[in-house]
Amino acid sequence: MSTEDGGVRVARDKETGVAVVTLDRPERHNAIDLAAAAQLASVWRDFRFDESVRAVVLTGAGGRAFCSGVDRGVDVPQPPSPYSLDDPLLTVGPKANDLWKPVIAAVRGMACGGAFYLLGEAEFVVAAEDATFFDPHTAYGMVSAYETIHMAQRMPSGEVARMALMGTAERMSARRAYETGLVSEVVPDGEEVAAAVRAAEVIASYPTDAVQGTVRAVWAATEAARGRALAQAPHLVALGNLPPGRQAELFTARRPGFRTR
């Protein structure tokens, strides 16, 4: 078992071959700051060389949120060129770091916005009954580009559009997420990590080359379309986002009311 800096905890079980990666910033709803983003990338790349890790479970600490995306309290320096955009979440996922060992996400509480960078690169998702999924971007004058592209690989396009366009007004329940294909299993609150670990232990018990080849094959089925779509994302964000100051005003004035479906 090991603990990493940057708001990310890693526990390795060498007997089962399963590692549990935990976003550990519960006081910030496990929002990802620059240190956590760098640490996640480092963890995934480290797993590439660690033969004792054959499957991974990704979760969030505290029970209130899996991840709430990028930490809005963090200043992300941007290059002056209008053709360049630095997004710290682009490298937080396992596939972005060339890791083809299977990753299972265990979600409890909120999963929103930038959380979809992580869910979009997991093999499948196990959710607690209290899990909710939503994308607040449009409510704050921001284009949901990367998030919708990731989710379009997992859900019907109409459901992706509804989630993105309804913004903060509506949250998708775990049951509805299961019905749309985003979630593969719904379990009682607090049992999501154990359920994901059980599945990971089964997968880790199989020959690892066959498992990783299968992960790669499944990913290949959608990778070409996803890659073309992601190439458009920076331009859509640059054209459609409100200035940061106006985004902050909308965020500060956000209304707490929402409904869950």
Side-chain angles (χ1 to χ4, degrees):
M1 181 171 181
S2 63
T3 302
E4 310 289 345
D5 296 327
V8 178
R9 280 190 286 119
V10 179
R12 295 169 171 85
D13 187 331
K14 293 190 176 182
E15 289 189 9
T16 64
V18 174
V20 177
V21 177
T22 305
L23 302 176
D24 194 16
R25 305 184 75 226
E27 73 286 353
R28 300 292 292 174
H29 296 304
N30 297 318
I32 299 172
D33 63 4
L34 298 183
Q39 191 58 50
L40 277 168
S42 177
V43 166
W44 300 131
R45 297 194 72 80
D46 178 62
F47 285 164
R48 295 168 67 232
F49 297 92
D50 188 344
E51 294 186 356
S52 72
V53 174
R54 299 186 296 278
V56 183
V57 170
L58 173 65
T59 192
R64 296 178 62 191
F66 166 75
C67 176
S68 56
V70 71
D71 191 329
R72 290 188 63 88
V74 172
D75 180 36
V76 180
Q78 294 295 330
S81 170
Y83 301 102
S84 300
L85 178 68
D86 280 357
D87 183 342
L89 299 186
L90 286 179
T91 57
V92 299
K95 307 303 183 295
N97 289 282
D98 201 32
L99 179 71
W100 299 102
K101 298 178 181 182
V103 177
I104 303 169
V107 176
R108 186 172 184 191
M110 296 185 299
C112 61
F116 297 135
Y117 286 71
L118 294 170
L119 298 183
E121 293 196 8
E123 271 48 73
F124 55 90
V125 179
V126 176
E129 291 174 342
D130 72 351
T132 58
F133 304 83
F134 65 103
D135 187 349
H137 279 73
T138 54
Y140 304 145
M142 303 168 68
V143 174
S144 177
Y146 293 100
E147 295 79 6
T148 52
I149 291 168
H150 280 298
M151 289 301 94
Q153 313 306 311
R154 315 195 72 115
M155 300 163 60
S157 60
E159 293 294 335
V160 177
R162 177 167 180 152
M163 180 188 291
L165 295 174
M166 291 296 289
T168 56
E170 186 173 88
R171 297 186 181 186
M172 178 181 286
S173 68
R175 181 54 53 185
R176 182 59 182 158
Y178 174 79
E179 293 168 351
T180 63
L182 172 57
V183 166
S184 69
E185 182 181 6
V186 178
V187 298
D189 298 344
E191 297 184 15
E192 65 285 346
V193 174
V197 168
R198 284 195 297 271
E201 288 176 350
V202 171
I203 297 168
S205 72
Y206 299 151
T208 188
D209 287 349
V211 167
Q212 291 186 49
T214 300
V215 169
R216 193 68 182 84
V218 172
W219 190 257
T222 59
E223 191 172 28
R226 176 179 171 274
R228 289 196 298 272
L230 287 174
Q232 302 299 316
H235 311 295
L236 298 173
V237 171
L239 286 169
N241 275 15
L242 289 177
R246 182 59 181 141
Q247 293 178 29
E249 290 175 9
L250 292 172
F251 184 78
T252 302
R254 65 192 186 278
R255 292 170 293 181
F258 64 87
R259 76 184 191 99
T260 301
R261 69 178 184 104

